[in-house]
Amino acid sequence: IVAGKRALERNQVVKSFLDDYEAEEYAGVNVKQVDGSESPKLTVYNGGKEVDQVDLGGVRSKSELHRMMMQYGFQFRDSKELHRMRERRRQKEHVEAWNRGEKDHLKKPDYLNHRSME
């Protein structure tokens, strides 16, 4: 799924579907948000060949997005993979918050423990 950041501001349903990582819960789905106003599109590949492209700009509900994913044959990742993915996402968001200066309520990220902090 590729979507322009400005276009997502006009479609909060798709924005939420992507920001809440619901799209990435499906195996084989990659999400890329790009600068610009490109309407969100789902591009479906089979064997490395593009077989369909769907404009998501008119989607009005998350249930519609989930139905579409299932209709195209996307399956949910297995529970262990989902757990690992969510843990990596949580760690990444923690580090990003730390780097933004939101340190008052956060523990220093593990990867920074060997560095001195100013």
Side-chain angles (χ1 to χ4, degrees):
I1 298 175
V2 175
K5 293 175 184 173
R6 286 193 301 271
L8 289 176
E9 293 304 321
R10 293 188 301 271
N11 189 325
Q12 292 298 306
V13 171
V14 176
K15 182 178 184 344
S16 176
F17 186 71
L18 301 180
D19 287 350
D20 295 344
Y21 301 100
E22 290 181 60
E24 293 171 337
E25 292 180 355
Y26 292 94
V29 173
N30 297 307
V31 174
K32 181 177 181 182
Q33 292 188 27
V34 296
D35 289 330
S37 57
E38 181 178 346
S39 183
K41 289 183 178 51
L42 168 66
T43 305
V44 181
Y45 296 90
N46 188 352
K49 182 179 177 185
E50 183 179 322
V51 294
D52 203 357
Q53 193 171 82
V54 182
D55 186 340
L56 303 177
V59 173
R60 298 292 169 234
S61 71
K62 283 187 177 183
S63 61
E64 185 180 347
L65 287 164
H66 284 289
R67 272 194 308 278
M68 183 182 305
M69 300 300 282
M70 299 302 276
Q71 287 172 342
Y72 276 101
F74 290 100
Q75 302 289 317
F76 280 107
R77 298 176 192 267
D78 69 51
S79 60
K80 288 182 182 178
E81 186 178 1
L82 274 173
H83 177 74
R84 284 190 303 271
M85 184 179 76
R86 288 175 180 144
E87 181 59 25
R88 283 192 306 268
R89 182 182 318 125
R90 187 194 64 73
Q91 290 172 354
K92 178 183 174 198
E93 289 171 351
H94 180 95
V95 169
E96 289 171 351
W98 179 271
N99 290 338
R100 284 192 306 268
E102 300 170 15
K103 300 175 184 176
D104 294 339
H105 64 284
L106 297 174
K107 177 181 167 258
K108 186 190 318 184
D110 291 336
Y111 89 98
L112 293 175
N113 283 334
H114 69 281
R115 298 181 188 175
S116 64
M117 295 302 297
E118 300 174 70

